[in-house]
Amino acid sequence: MVNFAIFATYMSLVTLHDKQFKPYITADAIHTRVEQIAANLSADLKGSFPLFIVVLNGSFIFAADLVKMLKFPCEITFVKLASYEGTGSTGKVNEIIGLTENVENRTIVIIEDIVDTGSTLEKLHDLLKHKNAKQIKTATLLFKPLAYKKTIPVDYICMEIPNDFVVGYGLDYDGLGSNLKDIYVLA
Ligand code: IMP
């Protein structure tokens, strides 16, 4: 059972475990950008019958909002990968739930919540290339360009942010905060 003492909202600050977070990106601002990304995806990929691969857990709200705005035939599946402990990347990506779909010769769109070092993206990208995907695109809610260490292009980015730790709209801090409708940053 969740101890509500560790999930308290005082005015606009949010306390999760031992840390306080302040408002950062509103739900309205997120919605506007998700709509634009959906329009770009529709323009670029309509007719290619893409398979969207949603990286759990953090992407679940972004993915749900995004795919509802796509007006063309597509498939959606999920993988679960984790590289974070607390507020820092471990640099090691653990594949928790693997991919079962046949991706050979398909257009794939990876849906990420946030691209930080890029380790998660690279691991999935390598796997998809190995399985002979035809074309691999990436859509992410957030991108931290200063933290990114890889060379794989991140094709669709809702918002770039500095190297700050954020929660909300699917993103959590040790299990808490993902249900917040806005995005918050460490205060
Ligand atoms: P990467 O592999 O270093 O790019 O990290 C990507 C994953 O780390 C994301 O899918 C998130 O689960 C997690 N992550 C990175 N930055 C944050 C953050 O600011 N808040 C919450 N989770 C984050």
Side-chain angles (χ1 to χ4, degrees), residues 15-187:
T15 303
L16 303 172
H17 297 297
D18 56 332
K19 302 202 187 307
Q20 283 204 315
F21 294 83
K22 60 187 179 195
Y24 191 44
I25 306 170
T26 64
D28 282 351
I30 298 167
H31 183 82
T32 301
R33 281 299 295 150
V34 176
E35 266 183 342
Q36 288 164 351
I37 293 299
N40 294 346
L41 282 163
S42 299
D44 295 349
L45 301 179
K46 189 168 49 180
S48 64
F49 190 47
L51 172 65
F52 286 83
I53 299 181
V54 180
V55 181
L56 296 172
N57 292 339
S59 310
F60 76 103
I61 296 179
F62 171 49
D65 284 349
L66 181 70
V67 300
K68 280 185 286 185
M69 296 172 187
L70 301 174
K71 306 288 183 223
F72 58 90
C74 59
E75 286 182 331
I76 301 152
T77 191
F78 303 87
V79 293
K80 187 166 176 176
L81 299 139
S83 66
Y84 248 61
E85 263 169 32
T87 59
S89 175
T90 60
K92 195 170 128 255
V93 180
N94 301 307
E95 190 177 341
I96 298 169
I97 301 172
L99 185 70
T100 50
E101 275 74 9
N102 181 7
V103 299
E104 193 170 347
N105 220 16
R106 291 209 60 181
T107 294
I108 306 294
V109 184
I110 298 170
I111 303 189
E112 276 263 33
D113 52 351
I114 184 162
V115 177
D116 185 319
T117 64
S119 303
T120 308
L121 177 61
E122 188 182 65
K123 169 133 184 166
L124 188 51
H125 205 273
D126 285 354
L127 182 84
L128 294 168
K129 258 178 39 192
H130 184 72
K131 289 177 180 277
N132 298 322
K134 182 168 79 183
Q135 179 182 209
I136 308 165
K137 300 279 183 191
T138 301
T140 187
L141 173 68
L142 300 172
F143 179 54
K144 294 182 182 172
L146 298 174
Y148 194 57
K149 295 195 179 80
K150 309 296 179 187
T151 53
I152 295 162
V154 184
D155 308 283
Y156 303 92
I157 298 169
C158 286
M159 274 164 274
E160 290 192 356
I161 61 167
N163 249 350
D164 296 323
F165 188 78
V166 294
V167 293
Y169 197 71
L171 291 146
D172 73 291
Y173 165 49
D174 273 349
L176 292 181
S178 57
N179 59 315
L180 296 165
K181 70 180 174 58
D182 305 299
I183 293 176
Y184 290 72
V185 67
L186 208 49

